[in-house]
C-alpha cells in the first residue's frame, strides 16, 4: 500500500466510526421516545422524523465507506 491508499483507509475507518456514532445517537433518541414517562405527545412526529434522518445518514456513510474500501482493495 502506498501513502495515498493508507490515507484513504484511515478516512474509511473514520467514516465507519462516524456512522456508528450517528446510529448510536438515533438508537438512544428512539429509546427516549418510547419510554412511557416521556411527555412528548406533541413532538412525536418530529422525533420520528429526526431518528429516520439520522438512520439514513448513518447508512449512507457506511455504504460510502464500504464502496471506497472495496475500490481500494481491488
Amino acid at each position: 500500500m502506498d501513502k495515498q491508499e493508507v490515507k484513504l483507509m484511515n478516512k474509511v475507518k473514520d467514516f465507519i466510526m462516524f456512522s456508528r456514532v450517528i446510529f448510536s445517537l438515533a438508537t438512544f433518541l428512539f429509546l427516549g421516545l418510547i419510554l412511557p414517562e416521556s411527555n412528548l405527545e406533541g413532538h412525536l412526529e418530529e422525533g420520528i422524523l429526526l431518528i429516520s434522518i439520522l438512520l439514513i445518514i448513518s447508512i449512507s456513510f457506511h455504504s460510502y465507506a464500504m464502496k471506497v474500501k472495496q475500490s481500494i482493495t481491488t
Side-chain angles (χ1 to χ4, degrees), residues 61-74:
F61 280 168
H62 187 76
S63 65
Y64 177 72
M66 291 296 108
K67 285 180 186 177
V68 171
K69 185 176 181 180
Q70 187 178 16
S71 70
I72 291 172
T73 57
T74 58

Side-chain angles (χ1 to χ4, degrees), residues 15-16 18-19 22 56-66:
F15 265 75
I16 292 172
F18 191 58
S19 73
I22 293 175
I56 290 169
I57 291 171
S58 174
I59 291 168
S60 300
F61 280 168
H62 187 76
S63 65
Y64 177 72
M66 291 296 108

Side-chain angles (χ1 to χ4, degrees), residues 33-74:
L33 195 64
I34 63 171
L35 287 175
E37 297 168 352
S38 62
N39 297 322
L40 298 173
E41 290 92 18
H43 302 286
L44 188 62
E45 292 84 12
E46 291 91 359
I48 292 173
L49 180 66
L50 177 66
I51 291 168
S52 301
I53 291 171
L54 287 173
L55 288 174
I56 290 169
I57 291 171
S58 174
I59 291 168
S60 300
F61 280 168
H62 187 76
S63 65
Y64 177 72
M66 291 296 108
K67 285 180 186 177
V68 171
K69 185 176 181 180
Q70 187 178 16
S71 70
I72 291 172
T73 57
T74 58

Side-chain angles (χ1 to χ4, degrees), residues 22-38:
I22 293 175
F23 184 79
S24 299
L25 175 64
T27 303
F28 282 117
L29 286 174
F30 180 71
L31 290 175
L33 195 64
I34 63 171
L35 287 175
E37 297 168 352
S38 62

